[in-house]
Amino acid sequence: MKTLNSDNQQLFDKEIAGDDYYYLRSCIRQNFFPGAEKVFLDILTQKLGRKIIDDEHHTTCSGIGYHTDIVPFDTFQAIIARQFALMKEKGAVNAVVSCITSFGGYHEVLETWKEFPEEKRKAQENLKKATGRDFDVPKNIAHACDIIYKYRHEIARLAPYKLVNTHTGEPLRVVDHVGCHYAKIFPDKAVGGAEKTTVLTAMIEAWGGQPVNYPERRHCCGFGFRHYLVKPNRSYSISNARKKFESMQPYRPDLILTNCPGCNMFLDRWQYALAQIEGKTYSDDKNGIPVLSYEELAGLLLGYDPWHIGLQMHQVDLEPLLKRMGIAYSAEAKYRNAKGIPMTPPKFTGCLE
Amino acid sequence: MKMVVQQLADDVRLKEGMNACMNCGICTAVCPAAEYFEYDPRSIVVAVQSGNEEKIQQLLTSDTIWMCGQCMSCKTRCPRSNCPGIIINVLRKVSQATGAFVQSRLGRQQYLIMKTIGANLLRYGYCIHPSAVDIQNHPEQGPVWEWVYSNREEVYERLGANLDREGPGAMRKIATNDLLELAVIFEQSGGTVLWQSIETHSKNKAIELGLVDSQGNPCMDLYTNYLLNEDPEF
């Protein structure tokens, strides 16, 4: 008989390009976790020896505007067509998308173009008239987590650290959260499909941790687009996040691992907000359950300085996890600027003072 | 003016999103919004499928169509490959094009989103920018974000980002030519028309609510404040 903790997820693979990528940044990830994007590029180029273009000319895909309905579908298609045109101009055919909303959006547009070629012609015409540019459809579109998933074993071989509690020798217990638009709209575009969180659990296993199942594993983080972005609507967002935390708490996770920039931020911030409202945390301490994205975790395991990859931007403090994993770090260097000058630290970290 | 049924049908996403709903209700069972609101995506799909002009008109003026959180969990579960979430996008589009959105509290909020996310899009080239996530409007972001926000030049520099500067990198300044292309795409592909519709209908609503200046012109600061403090009807 299987226990609730056992992870028997089948691998559902998709084609993931192996090299020569074009990076499409995420509005939310750049904003809240700029170090995560930086370490992703660094791992790819410096540790794995792959090539990736970081083109300053691409913009937002406007996906948040599209899903809040202030960007029409025609405009969304034309903006995505512009990103593809920039790729073409650089000779790139393999897109790597940092954002989950964008990832779903690119596939929505491409599937529409397959089914309704007149929509593609309209996007071509709109783009040409607006910018003079032409585009080709990329050969391969991967989410950035797909790339880390693809090279997870290579990363494990290079990593000086593991997802193990160095005090007990036990694997760390990791719950995962896969962003809705990674797989729920087009399951065949995702590693593991819509039902399985393989893209993250395979990393956890390759890196020595224990994936832990929980009932609301596939529930939304609660972003809800207009429900978070309009201040009076935010109770929708926090209520959904609360449902997830209540569901994972009995399994006493050491870490929440995410693949979506927004989810990474919300699962971090809403723990703080809920603690301020309800006076409780979902961990055994006042800190809360640490939250990391796949690039942040890969970076940590590969020995990057946690403060160079931006882990001080998380509200739930990562220091307890670093100690548990035996990762060397300087607490004193946490709040220093680029010149090494100490900055006044935040009023407090974690969920409760 | 076309019937709203035809306006919905003109959008290819309706063909993508609706394939003979059998009314099973799995979309409602799995929907986070249905758990939070009095919201039933099943009945919305049934109403749209019926082609009943009156029922669809009611939807366009209601709070209901604005309750969906766009997670698209409904798409995964539907045994007929319908996507209520995308049908919602089409309803919202027509609601904004016809001005019906200002008749509901949640619909009226489109003005707020246009003025925040929409403004960020064309000003920065990003949907979100650190300077727009201000502490007063985002207390849920906590003291660490307050620290980031207050010291953002130093913090982003430390992390190798390129905040508001030229060249590649995280939160780089999007070049003027690139921003201009984005603006022309908006103009060319209907984005500007949509925003004009939101603006015009919102101003008319402000006048209807008496939120005007001494000359009788709509006062959109008052309207914004009204939207932020408007209570739901129970």
Side-chain angles (χ1 to χ4, degrees):
Chain A
M1 187 176 168
K2 292 185 173 74
T3 69
L4 273 174
N5 291 344
S6 76
D7 193 273
N8 60 345
Q9 295 192 69
Q10 198 180 331
L11 285 178
F12 288 86
D13 265 327
K14 68 171 199 180
E15 191 188 342
I16 303 166
D19 202 352
D20 295 317
Y21 306 112
Y22 183 97
Y23 195 40
L24 291 156
R25 288 180 180 270
S26 151
C27 296
I28 291 185
R29 202 177 316 267
Q30 289 178 77
N31 194 94
F32 292 104
F33 307 108
E37 290 200 343
K38 183 161 175 39
V39 77
F40 172 75
L41 293 173
D42 205 83
I43 291 170
L44 225 61
T45 56
Q46 304 306 309
K47 304 285 184 186
L48 300 172
R50 264 70 191 184
K51 294 184 283 300
I52 186 161
I53 296 167
D54 182 18
D55 183 0
E56 66 191 85
H57 296 294
H58 81 285
T59 65
T60 178
C61 76
S62 78
I64 293 175
Y66 174 60
H67 285 288
T68 50
D69 304 277
I70 58 149
V71 172
F73 192 40
D74 285 351
T75 304
F76 188 48
Q77 291 180 66
I79 292 173
I80 285 175
R82 182 179 180 274
Q83 317 278 57
F84 293 163
L86 294 171
M87 281 184 68
K88 181 182 177 176
E89 289 160 26
K90 295 277 184 188
V93 292
N94 300 322
V96 175
V97 187
S98 174
C99 172
I100 289 290
T101 300
S102 302
F103 181 74
Y106 287 119
H107 283 299
E108 181 181 342
V109 167
L110 290 176
E111 290 303 301
T112 300
W113 289 351
K114 276 186 205 162
E115 204 174 337
F116 305 98
E118 67 276 16
E119 290 292 309
K120 186 179 178 187
R121 282 194 290 275
K122 192 163 52 176
Q124 283 168 325
E125 193 181 316
N126 281 333
L127 183 70
K128 188 76 177 174
K129 281 186 181 167
T131 69
R133 297 179 193 270
D134 297 304
F135 70 90
D136 290 332
V137 167
K139 190 173 158 197
N140 188 273
I141 295 192
H143 187 266
C145 72
D146 297 333
I147 309 294
I148 297 293
Y149 161 83
K150 184 179 178 79
Y151 294 116
R152 65 194 182 281
H153 295 302
E154 209 165 331
I155 289 169
R157 280 194 293 276
L158 294 168
Y161 300 109
K162 284 186 184 301
L163 266 174
V164 168
N165 183 329
T166 50
H167 304 291
T168 64
E170 294 292 318
L172 289 178
R173 299 167 57 76
V174 185
V175 291
D176 53 56
H177 173 79
V178 167
C180 290
H181 290 200
Y182 175 67
K184 286 182 180 175
I185 311 173
F186 300 105
D188 62 318
K189 310 299 180 197
V191 176
E195 304 297 341
K196 310 291 183 187
T197 55
T198 311
V199 71
L200 294 179
T201 51
M203 290 181 206
I204 296 164
E205 285 171 343
W207 299 340
Q210 182 189 358
V212 177
N213 204 350
Y214 63 106
E216 298 298 343
R217 195 172 191 171
R218 295 301 289 118
H219 194 79
C220 174
C221 74
F223 177 19
F225 294 93
R226 71 190 325 276
H227 297 313
Y228 172 73
L229 296 169
V230 178
K231 192 176 179 183
N233 298 355
R234 282 184 197 146
S235 52
Y236 170 98
S237 188
I238 196 169
S239 299
N240 278 290
R242 184 177 184 276
K243 183 172 174 167
K244 283 200 77 94
F245 298 136
E246 292 284 345
S247 172
M248 63 178 71
Q249 183 182 25
Y251 303 92
R252 302 185 68 195
D254 293 300
L255 171 67
I256 301 170
L257 182 65
T258 73
N259 74 340
C260 172
C263 303
N264 205 53
M265 184 269 282
F266 287 118
L267 294 176
D268 179 65
R269 306 299 204 263
W270 285 135
Q271 284 192 73
Y272 158 79
L274 283 163
Q276 295 299 308
I277 295 165
E278 298 185 325
K280 69 172 274 193
T281 64
Y282 294 94
S283 59
D284 294 336
D285 56 16
K286 290 181 176 179
N287 186 41
I289 311 167
V291 186
L292 287 175
S293 67
Y294 55 92
E295 321 101 313
E296 292 173 328
L297 179 58
L300 262 189
L301 297 174
L302 285 165
Y304 285 86
D305 184 319
W307 318 135
H308 285 166
I309 65 174
L311 300 193
Q312 67 275 52
M313 286 180 81
H314 290 240
Q315 181 60 41
V316 177
D317 205 321
L318 269 303
E319 285 195 54
L321 182 74
L322 301 181
K323 285 177 184 154
R324 213 170 290 169
M325 293 170 69
I327 290 177
Y329 71 95
S330 162
E332 178 261 350
K334 190 173 183 180
Y335 302 113
R336 287 182 178 269
N337 67 17
K339 296 181 185 72
I341 299 167
M343 301 166 67
T344 306
K347 286 174 194 155
F348 76 96
T349 61
C351 291
L352 292 169
E353 283 185 270
Chain B
M1 187 82 161
K2 280 183 185 174
M3 304 281 277
V4 289
V5 174
Q6 188 55 49
Q7 290 184 59
L8 297 178
D10 286 346
D11 192 318
V12 293
R13 293 175 299 174
L14 199 70
K15 298 179 189 78
E16 282 183 287
M18 199 166 69
N19 305 292
C21 167
M22 63 180 181
N23 212 352
C24 69
I26 190 87
C27 53
T28 302
V30 77
C31 176
E35 198 172 342
Y36 182 78
F37 296 108
E38 285 291 326
Y39 177 68
D40 179 15
R42 178 198 58 82
S43 63
I44 293 173
V45 177
V46 169
V48 173
Q49 188 169 256
S50 75
N52 183 310
E53 187 79 9
E54 192 181 339
K55 279 185 190 171
I56 296 169
Q57 284 280 9
Q58 279 173 5
L59 279 177
L60 298 182
T61 57
S62 71
D63 273 337
T64 308
I65 59 169
W66 303 100
M67 291 173 177
C68 166
Q70 291 283 288
C71 69
M72 304 294 183
S73 302
C74 48
K75 167 72 168 63
T76 311
R77 289 281 174 266
C78 179
R80 289 277 176 87
S81 296
N82 296 305
C83 184
I86 211 165
I87 296 170
I88 286 290
N89 291 132
V90 181
L91 288 162
R92 288 176 177 177
K93 173 189 158 184
V94 176
S95 181
Q96 291 179 115
T98 58
F101 72 103
V102 295
Q103 294 187 48
S104 71
R105 179 182 71 90
L106 294 178
R108 284 190 280 278
Q109 293 173 345
Q110 288 306 98
Y111 179 77
L112 299 174
I113 299 170
M114 181 186 74
K115 289 293 179 187
T116 50
I117 301 302
N120 289 342
L121 267 167
L122 294 189
R123 180 177 176 190
Y124 300 113
Y126 303 113
C127 289
I128 311 280
H129 187 273
S131 62
V133 189
D134 62 283
I135 298 159
Q136 193 185 349
N137 285 310
H138 291 277
E140 80 290 347
Q141 285 287 334
V144 171
W145 177 255
E146 186 177 345
W147 170 77
V148 173
Y149 181 83
S150 307
N151 301 281
R152 51 190 182 275
E153 284 188 16
E154 279 178 289
V155 174
Y156 283 82
E157 186 186 13
R158 161 85 190 270
L159 300 177
N162 198 19
L163 181 64
D164 296 333
R165 294 183 195 155
E166 290 174 3
M171 296 319 305
R172 69 208 177 279
K173 182 182 177 185
I174 302 288
T176 308
N177 280 349
D178 296 320
L179 284 178
L180 190 63
E181 286 193 11
L182 211 52
V184 181
I185 285 174
F186 261 76
E187 184 74 38
Q188 172 65 33
S189 59
T192 309
V193 171
L194 169 63
W195 289 9
Q196 282 167 348
S197 180
I198 295 172
E199 184 96 34
T200 302
H201 291 292
S202 299
K203 282 182 174 169
N204 290 341
K205 188 67 187 178
I207 293 169
E208 183 189 318
L209 291 166
L211 302 169
V212 293
D213 62 19
S214 53
Q215 274 80 48
N217 297 316
C219 179
M220 299 316 279
D221 286 344
L222 286 176
Y223 187 65
T224 297
N225 194 46
Y226 173 84
L227 298 181
L228 288 170
N229 293 286
E230 201 174 1
D231 287 329
E233 288 172 18
F234 292 107

